[in-house]
PDB file of all heavy atoms in Angstrom:
ATOM      1  N   ASP A   1      48.821   5.550 -54.471  1.00 85.00           N
ATOM      2  CA  ASP A   1      48.110   5.210 -55.682  1.00 85.00           C
ATOM      3  C   ASP A   1      48.545   3.965 -56.285  1.00 85.00           C
ATOM      4  O   ASP A   1      49.595   3.823 -56.931  1.00 85.00           O
ATOM      5  CB  ASP A   1      48.285   6.336 -56.733  1.00 85.00           C
ATOM      6  CG  ASP A   1      47.425   6.220 -57.985  1.00 85.00           C
ATOM      7  OD1 ASP A   1      46.896   5.112 -58.226  1.00 85.00           O
ATOM      8  OD2 ASP A   1      47.313   7.183 -58.696  1.00 85.00           O
ATOM      9  N   ASN A   2      47.823   2.851 -56.102  1.00 86.00           N
ATOM     10  CA  ASN A   2      48.214   1.507 -56.606  1.00 86.00           C
ATOM     11  C   ASN A   2      48.114   1.361 -58.085  1.00 86.00           C
ATOM     12  O   ASN A   2      48.818   0.551 -58.669  1.00 86.00           O
ATOM     13  CB  ASN A   2      47.371   0.436 -55.916  1.00 86.00           C
ATOM     14  CG  ASN A   2      47.705   0.235 -54.466  1.00 86.00           C
ATOM     15  OD1 ASN A   2      48.861   0.401 -54.114  1.00 86.00           O
ATOM     16  ND2 ASN A   2      46.701  -0.037 -53.681  1.00 86.00           N
ATOM     17  N   GLU A   3      47.303   2.227 -58.715  1.00 87.00           N
ATOM     18  CA  GLU A   3      47.132   2.193 -60.175  1.00 87.00           C
ATOM     19  C   GLU A   3      48.376   2.500 -60.952  1.00 87.00           C
ATOM     20  O   GLU A   3      48.786   1.893 -61.984  1.00 87.00           O
ATOM     21  CB  GLU A   3      46.022   3.110 -60.600  1.00 87.00           C
ATOM     22  CG  GLU A   3      45.576   2.932 -62.058  1.00 87.00           C
ATOM     23  CD  GLU A   3      44.391   3.856 -62.329  1.00 87.00           C
ATOM     24  OE1 GLU A   3      43.340   3.723 -61.569  1.00 87.00           O
ATOM     25  OE2 GLU A   3      44.462   4.601 -63.306  1.00 87.00           O
ATOM     26  N   LYS A   4      49.181   3.461 -60.399  1.00 88.00           N
ATOM     27  CA  LYS A   4      50.374   3.910 -61.030  1.00 88.00           C
ATOM     28  C   LYS A   4      51.607   3.511 -60.172  1.00 88.00           C
ATOM     29  O   LYS A   4      52.683   4.194 -60.294  1.00 88.00           O
ATOM     30  CB  LYS A   4      50.378   5.431 -61.246  1.00 88.00           C
ATOM     31  CG  LYS A   4      49.200   5.851 -62.165  1.00 88.00           C
ATOM     32  CD  LYS A   4      49.291   7.360 -62.298  1.00 88.00           C
ATOM     33  CE  LYS A   4      48.007   7.967 -61.655  1.00 88.00           C
ATOM     34  NZ  LYS A   4      47.934   9.417 -61.640  1.00 88.00           N
ATOM     35  N   TYR A   5      51.525   2.539 -59.351  1.00 90.00           N
ATOM     36  CA  TYR A   5      52.487   2.188 -58.359  1.00 90.00           C
ATOM     37  C   TYR A   5      53.881   2.058 -58.914  1.00 90.00           C
ATOM     38  O   TYR A   5      54.829   2.688 -58.453  1.00 90.00           O
ATOM     39  CB  TYR A   5      52.123   0.935 -57.572  1.00 90.00           C
ATOM     40  CG  TYR A   5      53.060   0.629 -56.493  1.00 90.00           C
ATOM     41  CD1 TYR A   5      52.924   1.146 -55.224  1.00 90.00           C
ATOM     42  CD2 TYR A   5      54.100  -0.232 -56.735  1.00 90.00           C
ATOM     43  CE1 TYR A   5      53.846   0.831 -54.214  1.00 90.00           C
ATOM     44  CE2 TYR A   5      55.018  -0.516 -55.758  1.00 90.00           C
ATOM     45  CZ  TYR A   5      54.870   0.029 -54.502  1.00 90.00           C
ATOM     46  OH  TYR A   5      55.780  -0.219 -53.516  1.00 90.00           O
ATOM     47  N   ASN A   6      54.069   1.285 -59.938  1.00 92.00           N
ATOM     48  CA  ASN A   6      55.433   0.913 -60.404  1.00 92.00           C
ATOM     49  C   ASN A   6      56.123   2.120 -60.962  1.00 92.00           C
ATOM     50  O   ASN A   6      57.344   2.381 -60.651  1.00 92.00           O
ATOM     51  CB  ASN A   6      55.365  -0.214 -61.511  1.00 92.00           C
ATOM     52  CG  ASN A   6      55.030  -1.531 -60.869  1.00 92.00           C
ATOM     53  OD1 ASN A   6      55.313  -1.781 -59.741  1.00 92.00           O
ATOM     54  ND2 ASN A   6      54.392  -2.419 -61.708  1.00 92.00           N
ATOM     55  N   ILE A   7      55.480   2.878 -61.760  1.00 92.00           N
ATOM     56  CA  ILE A   7      56.118   4.056 -62.357  1.00 92.00           C
ATOM     57  C   ILE A   7      56.422   5.088 -61.334  1.00 92.00           C
ATOM     58  O   ILE A   7      57.468   5.750 -61.259  1.00 92.00           O
ATOM     59  CB  ILE A   7      55.308   4.663 -63.536  1.00 92.00           C
ATOM     60  CG1 ILE A   7      56.101   5.761 -64.194  1.00 92.00           C
ATOM     61  CG2 ILE A   7      53.997   5.242 -63.146  1.00 92.00           C
ATOM     62  CD1 ILE A   7      56.680   5.365 -65.543  1.00 92.00           C
ATOM     63  N   LEU A   8      55.500   5.336 -60.329  1.00 92.00           N
ATOM     64  CA  LEU A   8      55.703   6.306 -59.314  1.00 92.00           C
ATOM     65  C   LEU A   8      56.784   5.899 -58.389  1.00 92.00           C
ATOM     66  O   LEU A   8      57.604   6.693 -57.951  1.00 92.00           O
ATOM     67  CB  LEU A   8      54.362   6.511 -58.503  1.00 92.00           C
ATOM     68  CG  LEU A   8      53.258   7.229 -59.286  1.00 92.00           C
ATOM     69  CD1 LEU A   8      51.956   7.248 -58.520  1.00 92.00           C
ATOM     70  CD2 LEU A   8      53.627   8.650 -59.695  1.00 92.00           C
ATOM     71  N   LYS A   9      56.869   4.620 -58.033  1.00 93.00           N
ATOM     72  CA  LYS A   9      57.931   4.108 -57.255  1.00 93.00           C
ATOM     73  C   LYS A   9      59.303   4.300 -57.907  1.00 93.00           C
ATOM     74  O   LYS A   9      60.275   4.709 -57.245  1.00 93.00           O
ATOM     75  CB  LYS A   9      57.721   2.659 -56.896  1.00 93.00           C
ATOM     76  CG  LYS A   9      58.576   2.074 -55.794  1.00 93.00           C
ATOM     77  CD  LYS A   9      58.223   2.709 -54.504  1.00 93.00           C
ATOM     78  CE  LYS A   9      59.012   2.063 -53.344  1.00 93.00           C
ATOM     79  NZ  LYS A   9      58.799   2.732 -52.103  1.00 93.00           N
ATOM     80  N   THR A  10      59.351   4.065 -59.198  1.00 95.00           N
ATOM     81  CA  THR A  10      60.588   4.245 -59.942  1.00 95.00           C
ATOM     82  C   THR A  10      61.017   5.737 -59.926  1.00 95.00           C
ATOM     83  O   THR A  10      62.214   6.113 -59.683  1.00 95.00           O
ATOM     84  CB  THR A  10      60.478   3.779 -61.372  1.00 95.00           C
ATOM     85  OG1 THR A  10      60.169   2.379 -61.336  1.00 95.00           O
ATOM     86  CG2 THR A  10      61.726   4.014 -62.180  1.00 95.00           C
ATOM     87  N   LEU A  11      60.039   6.630 -60.160  1.00 94.00           N
ATOM     88  CA  LEU A  11      60.311   8.086 -60.143  1.00 94.00           C
ATOM     89  C   LEU A  11      60.780   8.494 -58.737  1.00 94.00           C
ATOM     90  O   LEU A  11      61.685   9.338 -58.621  1.00 94.00           O
ATOM     91  CB  LEU A  11      59.038   8.845 -60.529  1.00 94.00           C
ATOM     92  CG  LEU A  11      58.636   8.757 -62.028  1.00 94.00           C
ATOM     93  CD1 LEU A  11      57.258   9.358 -62.293  1.00 94.00           C
ATOM     94  CD2 LEU A  11      59.661   9.455 -62.880  1.00 94.00           C
ATOM     95  N   MET A  12      60.138   7.943 -57.682  1.00 95.00           N
ATOM     96  CA  MET A  12      60.484   8.323 -56.336  1.00 95.00           C
ATOM     97  C   MET A  12      61.947   7.876 -56.051  1.00 95.00           C
ATOM     98  O   MET A  12      62.742   8.662 -55.443  1.00 95.00           O
ATOM     99  CB  MET A  12      59.533   7.734 -55.381  1.00 95.00           C
ATOM    100  CG  MET A  12      59.774   8.313 -53.959  1.00 95.00           C
ATOM    101  SD  MET A  12      58.379   8.156 -52.857  1.00 95.00           S
ATOM    102  CE  MET A  12      58.584   6.494 -52.262  1.00 95.00           C
ATOM    103  N   LYS A  13      62.332   6.644 -56.426  1.00 96.00           N
ATOM    104  CA  LYS A  13      63.708   6.242 -56.181  1.00 96.00           C
ATOM    105  C   LYS A  13      64.697   7.119 -56.963  1.00 96.00           C
ATOM    106  O   LYS A  13      65.790   7.498 -56.407  1.00 96.00           O
ATOM    107  CB  LYS A  13      63.875   4.827 -56.685  1.00 96.00           C
ATOM    108  CG  LYS A  13      63.228   3.768 -55.843  1.00 96.00           C
ATOM    109  CD  LYS A  13      63.436   2.396 -56.335  1.00 96.00           C
ATOM    110  CE  LYS A  13      62.717   1.384 -55.510  1.00 96.00           C
ATOM    111  NZ  LYS A  13      62.829  -0.012 -55.994  1.00 96.00           N
ATOM    112  N   ASN A  14      64.328   7.534 -58.136  1.00 97.00           N
ATOM    113  CA  ASN A  14      65.209   8.415 -58.910  1.00 97.00           C
ATOM    114  C   ASN A  14      65.329   9.780 -58.289  1.00 97.00           C
ATOM    115  O   ASN A  14      66.455  10.407 -58.228  1.00 97.00           O
ATOM    116  CB  ASN A  14      64.723   8.571 -60.392  1.00 97.00           C
ATOM    117  CG  ASN A  14      65.006   7.302 -61.175  1.00 97.00           C
ATOM    118  OD1 ASN A  14      65.857   6.477 -60.883  1.00 97.00           O
ATOM    119  ND2 ASN A  14      64.161   7.118 -62.198  1.00 97.00           N
ATOM    120  N   GLU A  15      64.223  10.310 -57.810  1.00 97.00           N
ATOM    121  CA  GLU A  15      64.209  11.600 -57.101  1.00 97.00           C
ATOM    122  C   GLU A  15      65.044  11.601 -55.821  1.00 97.00           C
ATOM    123  O   GLU A  15      65.831  12.492 -55.593  1.00 97.00           O
ATOM    124  CB  GLU A  15      62.751  11.996 -56.769  1.00 97.00           C
ATOM    125  CG  GLU A  15      62.621  13.411 -56.194  1.00 97.00           C
ATOM    126  CD  GLU A  15      62.928  14.456 -57.176  1.00 97.00           C
ATOM    127  OE1 GLU A  15      62.737  14.308 -58.383  1.00 97.00           O
ATOM    128  OE2 GLU A  15      63.392  15.532 -56.726  1.00 97.00           O
ATOM    129  N   ILE A  16      64.898  10.508 -55.100  1.00 97.00           N
ATOM    130  CA  ILE A  16      65.728  10.334 -53.862  1.00 97.00           C
ATOM    131  C   ILE A  16      67.233  10.285 -54.210  1.00 97.00           C
ATOM    132  O   ILE A  16      68.089  10.965 -53.535  1.00 97.00           O
ATOM    133  CB  ILE A  16      65.313   9.071 -53.034  1.00 97.00           C
ATOM    134  CG1 ILE A  16      63.933   9.281 -52.526  1.00 97.00           C
ATOM    135  CG2 ILE A  16      66.264   8.765 -51.960  1.00 97.00           C
ATOM    136  CD1 ILE A  16      63.247   8.014 -51.962  1.00 97.00           C
ATOM    137  N   ARG A  17      67.598   9.467 -55.182  1.00 97.00           N
ATOM    138  CA  ARG A  17      68.974   9.381 -55.594  1.00 97.00           C
ATOM    139  C   ARG A  17      69.555  10.740 -56.034  1.00 97.00           C
ATOM    140  O   ARG A  17      70.654  11.136 -55.695  1.00 97.00           O
ATOM    141  CB  ARG A  17      69.134   8.319 -56.694  1.00 97.00           C
ATOM    142  CG  ARG A  17      70.605   8.034 -57.042  1.00 97.00           C
ATOM    143  CD  ARG A  17      70.771   6.978 -58.151  1.00 97.00           C
ATOM    144  NE  ARG A  17      70.221   7.453 -59.399  1.00 97.00           N
ATOM    145  CZ  ARG A  17      69.227   6.926 -60.086  1.00 97.00           C
ATOM    146  NH1 ARG A  17      68.644   5.851 -59.621  1.00 97.00           N
ATOM    147  NH2 ARG A  17      68.845   7.423 -61.180  1.00 97.00           N
ATOM    148  N   SER A  18      68.813  11.470 -56.863  1.00 96.00           N
ATOM    149  CA  SER A  18      69.203  12.777 -57.342  1.00 96.00           C
ATOM    150  C   SER A  18      69.406  13.751 -56.204  1.00 96.00           C
ATOM    151  O   SER A  18      70.345  14.483 -56.201  1.00 96.00           O
ATOM    152  CB  SER A  18      68.171  13.297 -58.349  1.00 96.00           C
ATOM    153  OG  SER A  18      68.110  12.501 -59.502  1.00 96.00           O
ATOM    154  N   PHE A  19      68.437  13.747 -55.273  1.00 96.00           N
ATOM    155  CA  PHE A  19      68.598  14.681 -54.202  1.00 96.00           C
ATOM    156  C   PHE A  19      69.727  14.371 -53.312  1.00 96.00           C
ATOM    157  O   PHE A  19      70.467  15.278 -52.859  1.00 96.00           O
ATOM    158  CB  PHE A  19      67.241  14.616 -53.368  1.00 96.00           C
ATOM    159  CG  PHE A  19      67.233  15.604 -52.215  1.00 96.00           C
ATOM    160  CD1 PHE A  19      67.170  16.972 -52.455  1.00 96.00           C
ATOM    161  CD2 PHE A  19      67.259  15.185 -50.905  1.00 96.00           C
ATOM    162  CE1 PHE A  19      67.249  17.899 -51.404  1.00 96.00           C
ATOM    163  CE2 PHE A  19      67.221  16.048 -49.814  1.00 96.00           C
ATOM    164  CZ  PHE A  19      67.254  17.437 -50.098  1.00 96.00           C
ATOM    165  N   LYS A  20      70.005  13.102 -53.034  1.00 94.00           N
ATOM    166  CA  LYS A  20      71.143  12.762 -52.221  1.00 94.00           C
ATOM    167  C   LYS A  20      72.459  13.283 -52.893  1.00 94.00           C
ATOM    168  O   LYS A  20      73.386  13.782 -52.268  1.00 94.00           O
ATOM    169  CB  LYS A  20      71.336  11.237 -52.131  1.00 94.00           C
ATOM    170  CG  LYS A  20      70.266  10.649 -51.079  1.00 94.00           C
ATOM    171  CD  LYS A  20      70.540   9.164 -51.007  1.00 94.00           C
ATOM    172  CE  LYS A  20      69.651   8.468 -50.034  1.00 94.00           C
ATOM    173  NZ  LYS A  20      69.855   6.983 -50.011  1.00 94.00           N
ATOM    174  N   THR A  21      72.543  13.081 -54.196  1.00 94.00           N
ATOM    175  CA  THR A  21      73.714  13.600 -54.995  1.00 94.00           C
ATOM    176  C   THR A  21      73.817  15.090 -54.864  1.00 94.00           C
ATOM    177  O   THR A  21      74.941  15.633 -54.586  1.00 94.00           O
ATOM    178  CB  THR A  21      73.646  13.199 -56.424  1.00 94.00           C
ATOM    179  OG1 THR A  21      73.474  11.735 -56.497  1.00 94.00           O
ATOM    180  CG2 THR A  21      74.855  13.671 -57.216  1.00 94.00           C
ATOM    181  N   LEU A  22      72.697  15.813 -55.000  1.00 90.00           N
ATOM    182  CA  LEU A  22      72.741  17.272 -54.898  1.00 90.00           C
ATOM    183  C   LEU A  22      73.137  17.736 -53.573  1.00 90.00           C
ATOM    184  O   LEU A  22      73.936  18.628 -53.430  1.00 90.00           O
ATOM    185  CB  LEU A  22      71.334  17.817 -55.182  1.00 90.00           C
ATOM    186  CG  LEU A  22      70.917  18.132 -56.633  1.00 90.00           C
ATOM    187  CD1 LEU A  22      69.501  18.569 -56.710  1.00 90.00           C
ATOM    188  CD2 LEU A  22      71.809  19.205 -57.176  1.00 90.00           C
ATOM    189  N   VAL A  23      72.615  17.178 -52.542  1.00 89.00           N
ATOM    190  CA  VAL A  23      72.874  17.651 -51.128  1.00 89.00           C
ATOM    191  C   VAL A  23      74.293  17.403 -50.787  1.00 89.00           C
ATOM    192  O   VAL A  23      74.892  18.141 -50.088  1.00 89.00           O
ATOM    193  CB  VAL A  23      71.928  16.886 -50.150  1.00 89.00           C
ATOM    194  CG1 VAL A  23      72.369  17.088 -48.776  1.00 89.00           C
ATOM    195  CG2 VAL A  23      70.478  17.411 -50.325  1.00 89.00           C
ATOM    196  N   ASN A  24      74.908  16.355 -51.311  1.00 88.00           N
ATOM    197  CA  ASN A  24      76.318  16.016 -51.027  1.00 88.00           C
ATOM    198  C   ASN A  24      77.260  16.763 -51.889  1.00 88.00           C
ATOM    199  O   ASN A  24      78.483  16.627 -51.771  1.00 88.00           O
ATOM    200  CB  ASN A  24      76.560  14.464 -51.066  1.00 88.00           C
ATOM    201  CG  ASN A  24      75.857  13.811 -49.960  1.00 88.00           C
ATOM    202  OD1 ASN A  24      75.762  14.302 -48.864  1.00 88.00           O
ATOM    203  ND2 ASN A  24      75.281  12.678 -50.266  1.00 88.00           N
ATOM    204  N   SER A  25      76.787  17.538 -52.830  1.00 91.00           N
ATOM    205  CA  SER A  25      77.705  18.321 -53.721  1.00 91.00           C
ATOM    206  C   SER A  25      78.052  19.659 -53.057  1.00 91.00           C
ATOM    207  O   SER A  25      77.528  19.967 -52.012  1.00 91.00           O
ATOM    208  CB  SER A  25      76.975  18.529 -55.062  1.00 91.00           C
ATOM    209  OG  SER A  25      75.860  19.439 -54.883  1.00 91.00           O
ATOM    210  N   ASP A  26      78.924  20.363 -53.669  1.00 90.00           N
ATOM    211  CA  ASP A  26      79.396  21.605 -53.134  1.00 90.00           C
ATOM    212  C   ASP A  26      78.369  22.704 -53.627  1.00 90.00           C
ATOM    213  O   ASP A  26      78.605  23.287 -54.682  1.00 90.00           O
ATOM    214  CB  ASP A  26      80.817  21.879 -53.679  1.00 90.00           C
ATOM    215  CG  ASP A  26      81.353  23.164 -53.013  1.00 90.00           C
ATOM    216  OD1 ASP A  26      80.969  23.502 -51.893  1.00 90.00           O
ATOM    217  OD2 ASP A  26      82.268  23.752 -53.661  1.00 90.00           O
ATOM    218  N   MET A  27      77.385  22.915 -52.847  1.00 90.00           N
ATOM    219  CA  MET A  27      76.411  23.965 -53.152  1.00 90.00           C
ATOM    220  C   MET A  27      76.210  24.934 -51.961  1.00 90.00           C
ATOM    221  O   MET A  27      76.505  24.504 -50.841  1.00 90.00           O
ATOM    222  CB  MET A  27      75.099  23.358 -53.620  1.00 90.00           C
ATOM    223  CG  MET A  27      74.409  22.431 -52.619  1.00 90.00           C
ATOM    224  SD  MET A  27      72.965  21.469 -53.258  1.00 90.00           S
ATOM    225  CE  MET A  27      72.260  22.328 -54.545  1.00 90.00           C
ATOM    226  N   SER A  28      75.693  26.042 -52.253  1.00 91.00           N
ATOM    227  CA  SER A  28      75.483  27.026 -51.212  1.00 91.00           C
ATOM    228  C   SER A  28      74.276  26.591 -50.368  1.00 91.00           C
ATOM    229  O   SER A  28      73.438  25.715 -50.719  1.00 91.00           O
ATOM    230  CB  SER A  28      75.114  28.422 -51.824  1.00 91.00           C
ATOM    231  OG  SER A  28      73.876  28.326 -52.487  1.00 91.00           O
ATOM    232  N   ILE A  29      74.193  27.246 -49.160  1.00 91.00           N
ATOM    233  CA  ILE A  29      73.015  26.906 -48.260  1.00 91.00           C
ATOM    234  C   ILE A  29      71.697  27.312 -48.983  1.00 91.00           C
ATOM    235  O   ILE A  29      70.761  26.596 -48.891  1.00 91.00           O
ATOM    236  CB  ILE A  29      73.206  27.687 -46.933  1.00 91.00           C
ATOM    237  CG1 ILE A  29      74.332  27.061 -46.134  1.00 91.00           C
ATOM    238  CG2 ILE A  29      71.924  27.654 -46.135  1.00 91.00           C
ATOM    239  CD1 ILE A  29      74.582  27.699 -44.821  1.00 91.00           C
ATOM    240  N   GLU A  30      71.718  28.462 -49.636  1.00 92.00           N
ATOM    241  CA  GLU A  30      70.486  28.859 -50.359  1.00 92.00           C
ATOM    242  C   GLU A  30      70.067  27.832 -51.385  1.00 92.00           C
ATOM    243  O   GLU A  30      68.896  27.472 -51.530  1.00 92.00           O
ATOM    244  CB  GLU A  30      70.754  30.213 -51.047  1.00 92.00           C
ATOM    245  CG  GLU A  30      69.515  30.751 -51.783  1.00 92.00           C
ATOM    246  CD  GLU A  30      69.807  32.067 -52.474  1.00 92.00           C
ATOM    247  OE1 GLU A  30      70.958  32.526 -52.448  1.00 92.00           O
ATOM    248  OE2 GLU A  30      68.855  32.580 -53.040  1.00 92.00           O
ATOM    249  N   ALA A  31      70.999  27.280 -52.158  1.00 92.00           N
ATOM    250  CA  ALA A  31      70.629  26.289 -53.135  1.00 92.00           C
ATOM    251  C   ALA A  31      70.195  24.983 -52.461  1.00 92.00           C
ATOM    252  O   ALA A  31      69.223  24.303 -52.927  1.00 92.00           O
ATOM    253  CB  ALA A  31      71.879  25.959 -54.044  1.00 92.00           C
ATOM    254  N   ARG A  32      70.767  24.663 -51.357  1.00 93.00           N
ATOM    255  CA  ARG A  32      70.291  23.437 -50.573  1.00 93.00           C
ATOM    256  C   ARG A  32      68.858  23.652 -50.051  1.00 93.00           C
ATOM    257  O   ARG A  32      68.079  22.725 -50.082  1.00 93.00           O
ATOM    258  CB  ARG A  32      71.215  23.142 -49.425  1.00 93.00           C
ATOM    259  CG  ARG A  32      72.433  22.384 -49.800  1.00 93.00           C
ATOM    260  CD  ARG A  32      73.073  21.672 -48.579  1.00 93.00           C
ATOM    261  NE  ARG A  32      74.240  20.984 -49.041  1.00 93.00           N
ATOM    262  CZ  ARG A  32      75.515  21.369 -48.899  1.00 93.00           C
ATOM    263  NH1 ARG A  32      75.755  22.505 -48.338  1.00 93.00           N
ATOM    264  NH2 ARG A  32      76.467  20.594 -49.331  1.00 93.00           N
ATOM    265  N   ILE A  33      68.587  24.850 -49.603  1.00 94.00           N
ATOM    266  CA  ILE A  33      67.241  25.181 -49.132  1.00 94.00           C
ATOM    267  C   ILE A  33      66.226  24.989 -50.286  1.00 94.00           C
ATOM    268  O   ILE A  33      65.179  24.333 -50.110  1.00 94.00           O
ATOM    269  CB  ILE A  33      67.166  26.571 -48.562  1.00 94.00           C
ATOM    270  CG1 ILE A  33      67.966  26.623 -47.191  1.00 94.00           C
ATOM    271  CG2 ILE A  33      65.694  26.998 -48.315  1.00 94.00           C
ATOM    272  CD1 ILE A  33      68.139  28.034 -46.670  1.00 94.00           C
ATOM    273  N   ASP A  34      66.546  25.539 -51.416  1.00 95.00           N
ATOM    274  CA  ASP A  34      65.629  25.466 -52.582  1.00 95.00           C
ATOM    275  C   ASP A  34      65.489  24.019 -53.029  1.00 95.00           C
ATOM    276  O   ASP A  34      64.358  23.592 -53.337  1.00 95.00           O
ATOM    277  CB  ASP A  34      66.234  26.253 -53.776  1.00 95.00           C
ATOM    278  CG  ASP A  34      66.104  27.793 -53.524  1.00 95.00           C
ATOM    279  OD1 ASP A  34      65.399  28.196 -52.641  1.00 95.00           O
ATOM    280  OD2 ASP A  34      66.832  28.542 -54.244  1.00 95.00           O
ATOM    281  N   SER A  35      66.537  23.253 -52.991  1.00 96.00           N
ATOM    282  CA  SER A  35      66.496  21.838 -53.375  1.00 96.00           C
ATOM    283  C   SER A  35      65.652  21.065 -52.378  1.00 96.00           C
ATOM    284  O   SER A  35      64.902  20.185 -52.773  1.00 96.00           O
ATOM    285  CB  SER A  35      67.922  21.207 -53.495  1.00 96.00           C
ATOM    286  OG  SER A  35      68.595  21.845 -54.451  1.00 96.00           O
ATOM    287  N   LEU A  36      65.775  21.358 -51.051  1.00 96.00           N
ATOM    288  CA  LEU A  36      64.935  20.701 -50.086  1.00 96.00           C
ATOM    289  C   LEU A  36      63.486  20.955 -50.278  1.00 96.00           C
ATOM    290  O   LEU A  36      62.663  20.030 -50.172  1.00 96.00           O
ATOM    291  CB  LEU A  36      65.440  21.120 -48.652  1.00 96.00           C
ATOM    292  CG  LEU A  36      64.593  20.509 -47.525  1.00 96.00           C
ATOM    293  CD1 LEU A  36      64.647  19.013 -47.490  1.00 96.00           C
ATOM    294  CD2 LEU A  36      65.177  21.102 -46.185  1.00 96.00           C
ATOM    295  N   ILE A  37      63.136  22.202 -50.561  1.00 96.00           N
ATOM    296  CA  ILE A  37      61.763  22.607 -50.799  1.00 96.00           C
ATOM    297  C   ILE A  37      61.213  21.715 -51.982  1.00 96.00           C
ATOM    298  O   ILE A  37      60.120  21.105 -51.944  1.00 96.00           O
ATOM    299  CB  ILE A  37      61.583  24.050 -51.050  1.00 96.00           C
ATOM    300  CG1 ILE A  37      61.911  24.845 -49.751  1.00 96.00           C
ATOM    301  CG2 ILE A  37      60.146  24.411 -51.540  1.00 96.00           C
ATOM    302  CD1 ILE A  37      62.152  26.312 -50.011  1.00 96.00           C
ATOM    303  N   PHE A  38      61.920  21.798 -53.046  1.00 96.00           N
ATOM    304  CA  PHE A  38      61.509  21.041 -54.302  1.00 96.00           C
ATOM    305  C   PHE A  38      61.403  19.560 -54.014  1.00 96.00           C
ATOM    306  O   PHE A  38      60.456  18.961 -54.418  1.00 96.00           O
ATOM    307  CB  PHE A  38      62.443  21.319 -55.429  1.00 96.00           C
ATOM    308  CG  PHE A  38      62.103  20.642 -56.687  1.00 96.00           C
ATOM    309  CD1 PHE A  38      61.040  21.154 -57.501  1.00 96.00           C
ATOM    310  CD2 PHE A  38      62.681  19.469 -57.108  1.00 96.00           C
ATOM    311  CE1 PHE A  38      60.707  20.524 -58.670  1.00 96.00           C
ATOM    312  CE2 PHE A  38      62.274  18.794 -58.238  1.00 96.00           C
ATOM    313  CZ  PHE A  38      61.271  19.360 -59.117  1.00 96.00           C
ATOM    314  N   PHE A  39      62.363  18.940 -53.295  1.00 97.00           N
ATOM    315  CA  PHE A  39      62.337  17.557 -52.971  1.00 97.00           C
ATOM    316  C   PHE A  39      61.116  17.210 -52.176  1.00 97.00           C
ATOM    317  O   PHE A  39      60.432  16.184 -52.534  1.00 97.00           O
ATOM    318  CB  PHE A  39      63.641  17.204 -52.222  1.00 97.00           C
ATOM    319  CG  PHE A  39      63.695  15.764 -51.805  1.00 97.00           C
ATOM    320  CD1 PHE A  39      63.909  14.726 -52.719  1.00 97.00           C
ATOM    321  CD2 PHE A  39      63.493  15.348 -50.498  1.00 97.00           C
ATOM    322  CE1 PHE A  39      63.956  13.431 -52.331  1.00 97.00           C
ATOM    323  CE2 PHE A  39      63.501  14.053 -50.086  1.00 97.00           C
ATOM    324  CZ  PHE A  39      63.783  13.074 -51.009  1.00 97.00           C
ATOM    325  N   CYS A  40      60.830  17.965 -51.171  1.00 97.00           N
ATOM    326  CA  CYS A  40      59.631  17.649 -50.361  1.00 97.00           C
ATOM    327  C   CYS A  40      58.368  17.662 -51.175  1.00 97.00           C
ATOM    328  O   CYS A  40      57.555  16.768 -51.076  1.00 97.00           O
ATOM    329  CB  CYS A  40      59.520  18.650 -49.150  1.00 97.00           C
ATOM    330  SG  CYS A  40      60.763  18.360 -47.926  1.00 97.00           S
ATOM    331  N   VAL A  41      58.209  18.682 -51.992  1.00 96.00           N
ATOM    332  CA  VAL A  41      56.988  18.811 -52.803  1.00 96.00           C
ATOM    333  C   VAL A  41      56.960  17.620 -53.836  1.00 96.00           C
ATOM    334  O   VAL A  41      55.888  17.036 -54.026  1.00 96.00           O
ATOM    335  CB  VAL A  41      57.032  20.164 -53.572  1.00 96.00           C
ATOM    336  CG1 VAL A  41      55.868  20.199 -54.606  1.00 96.00           C
ATOM    337  CG2 VAL A  41      56.854  21.298 -52.595  1.00 96.00           C
TER     338      VAL A  41
END
């Protein structure tokens, strides 16, 4: 979507950064699975 490109790109970068932090934290496999599902969506 080029109309909302800048804001969506910023949100996507933030989402990627947050997910990387979550995945590298000390969390259970179940929590990682849930985070992966949410991240993909």
Side-chain angles (χ1 to χ4, degrees):
D1 185 345
N2 288 325
E3 190 175 306
K4 299 179 244 176
Y5 182 87
N6 290 333
I7 186 106
L8 292 172
K9 192 67 173 176
T10 300
L11 289 170
M12 190 160 84
K13 285 179 184 177
N14 290 336
E15 186 67 29
I16 292 168
R17 187 180 67 243
S18 295
F19 182 67
K20 284 179 177 179
T21 302
L22 272 176
V23 168
N24 292 321
S25 68
D26 186 27
M27 59 190 330
S28 68
I29 289 178
E30 181 181 3
R32 278 197 179 103
I33 292 169
D34 290 344
S35 295
L36 177 59
I37 294 166
F38 181 79
F39 177 73
C40 288
V41 171

